[in-house]
Amino acid sequence: MEKVRTRPGPAVVDEAPRPGDADEQLHSAFLALLRWTSRSAVRTRLWTGDGVELTPTDAWLIDALAAHGPMRVTTLAGWQGVDKSTVTPQVRRLERAGLVDRRPDPEDGRASLLTLSAHGREVRERVRAAGGQALAQSLASWDDTDRRALAELLTRFVATVEQAERGEALGHGVGRPGMAPRDAPRD
């Protein structure tokens, strides 16, 4: 078993992980990454661009709308893994900031679709550029091959996790981005 210092500072492993400990090593690394991204200074570097500061949730919702196009609040809530009542105030905040627009669903006038505004697209690009620069600075000592390998493995990991989650959620009737708005529950 790994032994780690209990005082603040970087974790020090007293012995090398055993071959069967990959899952534990991944879990420890994931926890350390979550701890790193929760730090105020890091959040500012990752989620701020040219004076526009988003919360991580704001950035996720904006990214989902940018990547998957117009969608209903219920579909966005399903993607976020929360109830519509949880995502609605977040969407309203983004609307008030001029980042998200709401328009009637052309296929069902009783429902509305959320889209990114022009300002929302600009903010997304600035925040993505600032976040990319922050990560590049953090990985400046890595060579290009290692950075690309990390990007490929993380992308693969995220796709695998999201596919498993989407399969479970769709089995329970929750909408996901990429789903046609008419297939998702009405708002």
Side-chain angles (χ1 to χ4, degrees):
M1 179 161 187
E2 296 180 46
K3 296 177 185 173
V4 180
R5 291 189 309 180
T6 56
R7 62 189 152 126
V12 176
V13 177
D14 291 334
E15 57 186 77
R18 295 181 302 268
D21 289 340
D23 293 336
E24 291 177 23
Q25 187 178 6
L26 285 167
H27 187 258
S28 293
F30 189 71
L31 289 175
L33 185 60
L34 288 173
R35 184 181 69 244
W36 178 73
T37 61
S38 71
R39 294 177 182 150
S40 178
V42 173
R43 281 194 323 267
T44 298
R45 288 174 46 212
L46 291 175
W47 309 115
T48 302
D50 291 336
V52 176
E53 187 171 344
L54 302 175
T55 68
T57 301
D58 293 341
W60 299 328
L61 296 175
I62 287 171
D63 205 53
L65 288 170
H68 304 290
M71 69 179 77
R72 295 177 180 178
V73 171
T74 50
T75 303
L76 189 59
W79 174 83
Q80 184 72 356
V82 298
D83 187 74
K84 176 184 169 185
S85 64
T86 300
V87 83
T88 297
Q90 296 166 334
V91 168
R92 284 190 186 128
R93 187 178 65 250
L94 295 173
E95 284 180 287
R96 282 192 304 272
L99 302 174
V100 171
D101 292 327
R102 186 184 299 258
R103 62 180 167 84
D105 184 339
E107 295 183 20
D108 183 350
R110 300 170 294 176
S112 60
L113 297 176
L114 303 172
T115 60
L116 273 187
S117 66
H119 180 58
R121 287 188 295 277
E122 291 171 10
V123 166
R124 176 183 183 251
E125 291 310 311
R126 286 187 299 205
V127 168
R128 286 172 62 97
Q133 184 177 21
L135 291 171
Q137 289 170 353
S138 295
L139 297 173
S141 66
W142 290 35
D143 66 31
D144 193 49
T145 302
D146 286 345
R147 286 196 321 272
R148 287 183 192 278
L150 176 63
E152 289 175 16
L153 288 170
L154 276 175
T155 300
R156 182 175 154 200
F157 170 73
V158 169
T160 300
V161 168
E162 287 183 343
Q163 181 179 12
E165 183 182 344
R166 187 172 44 250
E168 291 172 15
L170 288 176
H172 293 95
V174 176
R176 287 285 193 231
M179 175 185 248
R182 67 183 168 279
D183 295 334
R186 266 197 310 272
D187 288 339

